[in-house]
Amino acid sequence: MSAEADPTQRVAIGISFGNSYSSIAFTSAEGKAEVIANEDGDRQIPSILSYVGGEELHAGQAKGQLVRNTKNTVAYFRDFLGQDFKSIDPTPCHQSAHPIQHESTIGFKIQDSAEETENTVTVSEITTRHLKRLRISASDYLGKNVNAAVITVPTNFADAQKDALNKAAKEAGLEVLQFISEPVAAVLAYDARPEAKLADKVVVVADLGGIRSDIAVIASRGGIYTVLATHHDYEVSGSVLDQALMDHFAKEFIKKHKSAGDPRENDRSLAKLKLECEAVKKALSIGTSANFSVESLANGVDFQATINRSRYEILASKNFAAFARLVTHAVEKANLDPLDVSEIILGGGNSHTPKVASAVRNLFPESTIVLAPSTSSTAINPSELSVRGAAIQASLIQEFELEDIEQSTHPAVTVTPHTAKAVGILLISGDEGTAVFHTIVDAETPLPVRRTAIIATPREGGNVLLKLAEGLRHIKITKPEPRVREPSSDDEDDESEEEEEEVREKTWKVDAVLSEAALKGVKKGAKIEVQINIGHDLTVNAIFREVGGKGGVRGILQGPKVTQNGSA
Amino acid sequence: MAAVQISLPLPVLPEGWSGEKDFKPIGHLSHATDRNIEPVGPHFLAHARRKRHKRTFSEDDR
Ligand SMILES: Nc1ncnc2c1ncn2[C@@H]1O[C@H](COP(=O)(O)OP(=O)(O)OP(=O)(O)O)[C@@H](O)[C@H]1O
Ligand SMILES: [Mg+2]
């Protein structure tokens, strides 16, 4: 069946489609995103298909087949869509059907029918079958035929990959209304909450998924998002966390059952080990200890063990630290300092792990809010961030003609001039050297923009100076006073001295003065409202007035001269 | 968006300060950087609407 193109006939959902897991969500009539469980009751739906005697198993049921039916089980395929065989890394598929080159695309040789013959099924076809199952789960739940979706993709998903995904979705009966990027969907999921307040802030979305990690640094300006930098890594991932546990339990097993051999050296044992270790890892996100239990782990020998969380944290400490470093690296890529980051949204399933959040927490100042289950009681489930954002976007655009959606997502609309420097006002003093600069319009704010500030006045009121300037952020570093060493025999004292760290603070320096204005005869205790409008041509329109007072001052600043090459 | 609240006071106007209609332009903004905004969320839709209909914020408010 083909997707319904008439907007009034659309039933649209949000889909997050990962290499490891997918999720589906819809937005209720009250405007709340709700994640849908599939027939098995799963909201994190494994992106896996398996074929047994011609029957198609999906998701959790297919995942169980990784042990016995490895060759006919297809997993970790999303990133292969629209790719050239030579450019993919097949490593994640070591323990499932291997990707092969098939004409100009990628396929899997599997026995997917009742017949004994193997068929080559392309990655597009696998994706279609997977999306069809998601579509049916959503339709069954909603009692309506779902025919459209907003789908999330990584920020580095190329056009060819999107095209391939678009086609595969169409084959599955889904009209893709829009692809939105995963980290932006995560920010939207947070911003769509009723208690959320609009602000100008830098948000970092750090996603630790199953086989990759993705970081994005996003300027969020009054609810409009600009991606400033991204970083992707395929070494640091959930699977290396699983591997740390696999190595641990394999060694424990060998210690206890010397003759039974290493479970990592036999495919079936390895698959059992991996499945159980992922479950143990998940259990350690909530519990401080977890049980490992596999029947016939190797050579018919059962194995049971327990592990506590702190042990796991030591086993995988390098990986947690490596993930945290990816986050700071992305901030550097955006030419920002950790002090510039207002919030870090931790996403991806592994962000349930408390140590992931604390490792990131440790590399950022206290002023940075870390949003993860273990650091914030109001955090959104990190596994559901993308899909919630997708469902919200779907509800926003589902009544639009596809053509209108395409037009608004066109560079003619999205490419926008952004302020290069912060625009603000001088406080306390009118002298650039001694004044305190306070930002009103941040750097990296898309134009046009309008911002208002309410400012206190000198104690006695009277005549005040309103001096607008561009400011540059400056990191002020204060080294601790070298302490006079008192002769002491106590060793602990020495240690605490070494721990004293320099103090880093975010301050501002006036870069260039833009204008001055005067408000005269201001009442005692009055407040002044400053409204700044900046047009896309960098014209500044400023209004200064006493709150509740009459009159006020208006000023206009022309934009900078257009340079020879025409860039404004 | 809610107004920025600033609790530090404005400076006192220097004696003898003058400006036409109490305003004195001095400089220009630095050149802007072209970047791609994400076509996502309700505030982007409002931005796109203003852009397509060439409307200002205050026209949009009405
Ligand atoms: N509660 C949990 N505690 C710890 N880890 C978890 C938890 N739930 C899921 N994970 C892990 O999260 C990873 C899956 O993350 P996610 O659902 O974000 O996958 P994905 O987007 O498909 O990732 P990718 O595309 O990188 O494979 C897996 O490694 C899984 O073991
Ligand atoms: Mg993901």
Side-chain angles (χ1 to χ4, degrees):
Chain A
M1 61 155 278
S2 80
E4 198 61 69
D6 177 0
T8 61
Q9 299 302 309
R10 268 192 204 129
V11 180
I13 57 167
I15 298 180
S16 75
F17 169 30
N19 291 291
S20 304
Y21 292 88
S22 299
S23 291
I24 43 183
F26 75 105
T27 302
S28 68
E30 295 80 48
K32 222 178 150 269
E34 287 179 36
V35 183
I36 300 170
N38 72 355
E39 314 72 74
D40 302 329
D42 291 330
R43 288 183 173 78
Q44 274 69 61
I45 302 169
S47 306
I48 307 181
L49 290 161
S50 184
Y51 295 87
V52 184
E55 196 201 340
E56 182 182 85
L57 300 180
H58 180 238
Q61 297 184 25
K63 193 166 185 171
Q65 294 294 316
L66 283 169
V67 175
R68 332 187 135 261
N69 189 22
T70 319
K71 271 181 28 202
N72 294 315
T73 304
V74 186
Y76 305 110
F77 53 87
R78 189 211 49 198
D79 283 355
F80 299 159
L81 267 172
Q83 295 270 53
D84 197 51
F85 183 74
K86 284 182 227 75
S87 63
I88 64 159
D89 174 14
T91 317
C93 300
H94 269 349
Q95 290 160 264
S96 57
H98 297 340
I100 55 163
Q101 175 154 15
H102 177 68
E103 289 158 15
S104 65
T105 157
I106 292 162
F108 298 90
K109 220 175 201 144
I110 50 173
Q111 212 175 298
D112 65 335
S113 71
E115 261 107 86
E116 290 278 296
T117 53
E118 283 191 327
N119 296 314
T120 300
V121 184
T122 62
V123 62
S124 299
E125 173 60 21
I126 288 290
T127 302
T128 295
R129 293 179 190 178
H130 171 59
L131 293 176
K132 204 178 263 172
R133 298 295 291 253
L134 297 179
R135 185 174 73 76
I136 292 167
S137 295
S139 300
D140 288 349
Y141 181 89
L142 295 172
K144 281 188 273 196
N145 183 38
V146 170
N147 54 20
V150 168
I151 304 183
T152 58
V153 292
T155 54
N156 65 345
F157 223 49
D159 285 343
Q161 293 174 283
K162 288 182 197 164
D163 288 347
L165 179 50
N166 194 12
K167 284 202 191 95
K170 194 164 263 164
E171 290 293 314
L174 289 167
E175 176 190 24
V176 178
L177 301 181
Q178 191 183 352
F179 289 115
I180 66 173
S181 77
E182 291 167 347
V184 175
V187 179
L188 181 60
Y190 272 101
D191 278 354
R193 299 196 299 182
E195 67 271 27
K197 289 200 179 66
L198 276 188
D200 289 337
K201 55 192 175 181
V202 171
V203 183
V204 175
V205 181
D207 180 325
L208 183 47
I211 63 165
R212 54 186 285 170
S213 35
D214 301 279
I215 322 286
V217 181
I218 298 171
S220 171
R221 304 289 184 238
I224 299 185
Y225 314 120
T226 304
V227 176
L228 300 178
T230 57
H231 188 65
H232 308 280
D233 190 282
Y234 302 86
E235 309 285 320
V236 182
S237 66
S239 74
V240 296
L241 298 176
D242 300 346
Q243 190 63 48
L245 286 168
M246 288 162 69
D247 290 338
H248 168 76
F249 287 113
K251 283 181 203 153
E252 294 283 296
F253 178 77
I254 296 164
K255 236 191 272 170
K256 214 161 164 196
H257 307 283
K258 288 199 178 64
S259 56
D262 187 337
R264 290 168 296 184
E265 281 165 11
N266 163 296
D267 285 344
R268 189 176 285 197
S269 301
L270 182 65
K272 285 184 182 174
L273 184 63
K274 184 166 169 59
L275 282 178
E276 183 66 2
C277 285
E278 189 190 358
V280 166
K281 179 184 73 175
K282 289 183 183 178
L284 288 172
S285 292
I286 14 173
T288 51
S289 73
N291 293 319
F292 174 103
S293 169
V294 175
E295 269 179 41
S296 175
L297 179 57
N299 281 314
V301 180
D302 300 348
F303 188 58
Q304 281 174 353
T306 60
I307 184 168
N308 58 37
R309 189 191 282 170
S310 46
R311 186 68 204 266
Y312 166 53
E313 290 176 351
I314 293 166
L315 290 172
S317 64
K318 261 198 247 153
N319 305 312
F320 299 132
F323 178 67
R325 275 198 306 274
L326 294 178
V327 182
T328 51
H329 181 64
V331 173
E332 280 165 23
K333 259 179 143 176
N335 288 318
L336 295 174
D337 187 272
L339 282 163
D340 294 317
V341 178
S342 319
E343 280 173 19
I344 299 174
I345 296 176
L346 287 177
N350 292 289
S351 290
H352 284 282
T353 299
K355 195 69 186 178
V356 168
S358 63
V360 172
R361 164 81 283 166
N362 286 339
L363 294 187
F364 282 83
E366 242 166 84
S367 55
T368 306
I369 298 166
V370 175
L371 293 162
S374 63
T375 54
S376 161
S377 58
T378 58
I380 298 175
N381 182 340
S383 300
E384 298 181 347
L385 287 167
S386 293
V387 77
R388 286 179 179 277
I392 292 155
Q393 182 68 7
S395 73
L396 290 174
I397 62 173
Q398 79 165 333
E399 275 152 31
F400 294 0
E401 300 284 346
L402 208 53
E403 201 182 309
D404 285 344
I405 300 171
E406 274 159 15
Q407 256 186 38
S408 330
T409 56
H410 192 273
V413 174
T414 61
V415 174
T416 309
H418 285 59
T419 51
K421 293 171 188 159
V423 177
I425 192 145
L426 303 199
L427 304 169
I428 301 177
S429 159
D431 172 62
E432 294 102 72
T434 51
V436 173
F437 174 91
H438 197 296
T439 302
I440 298 176
V441 178
D442 245 309
E444 308 297 3
T445 298
L447 302 176
V449 65
R450 177 176 64 186
R451 290 288 182 272
T452 307
I454 307 286
I455 314 170
T457 50
R459 203 165 296 145
E460 298 308 323
N463 301 342
V464 295
L465 171 70
L466 297 127
K467 195 160 173 174
L468 296 182
E470 280 189 322
L472 287 177
R473 194 268 285 125
H474 172 72
I475 302 295
K476 184 174 150 205
I477 299 172
T478 320
K479 294 248 186 317
E481 298 258 316
R483 265 211 272 160
V484 191
R485 254 177 192 269
E486 278 166 34
S488 159
S489 57
D490 201 336
D491 280 347
E492 273 171 304
D493 251 20
D494 285 348
E495 261 174 49
S496 68
E497 255 176 56
E498 270 172 39
E499 271 172 27
E500 268 193 76
E501 277 179 34
E502 55 186 30
V503 179
R504 305 179 80 254
E505 284 170 280
K506 182 170 164 172
T507 61
W508 292 88
K509 279 189 172 162
V510 174
D511 189 53
V513 176
L514 296 170
S515 66
E516 290 180 351
L519 276 180
K520 293 176 183 157
V522 171
K523 277 203 229 60
K524 195 177 165 177
K527 295 220 186 285
I528 306 296
E529 183 190 287
V530 175
Q531 193 191 90
I532 296 180
N533 282 276
I534 307 176
H536 69 272
D537 58 355
L538 294 166
T539 308
V540 182
N541 246 290
I543 304 170
F544 310 93
R545 62 173 163 238
E546 189 175 329
V547 176
K550 284 211 190 91
V553 174
R554 262 177 185 271
I556 295 182
L557 278 181
Q558 297 309 322
K561 297 223 162 46
V562 176
T563 49
Q564 209 99 72
N565 60 22
S567 74
Chain B
M1 240 189 52
V4 182
Q5 300 290 333
I6 303 176
S7 51
L8 288 177
L10 288 164
V12 174
L13 188 72
E15 288 293 327
W17 186 93
S18 75
E20 197 186 325
K21 290 189 177 154
D22 285 342
F23 184 78
K24 203 157 81 182
I26 296 170
H28 309 282
L29 284 187
S30 300
H31 286 285
T33 327
D34 273 344
R35 293 185 185 276
N36 214 27
I37 58 175
E38 296 289 317
V40 172
H43 300 282
F44 167 79
L45 289 178
H47 167 94
R49 212 169 39 233
R50 281 192 297 273
K51 194 151 182 172
R52 285 169 60 183
H53 301 300
K54 302 203 165 34
R55 279 210 304 249
T56 64
F57 285 103
S58 28
E59 284 163 355
D60 213 40
D61 286 346
R62 273 173 223 148

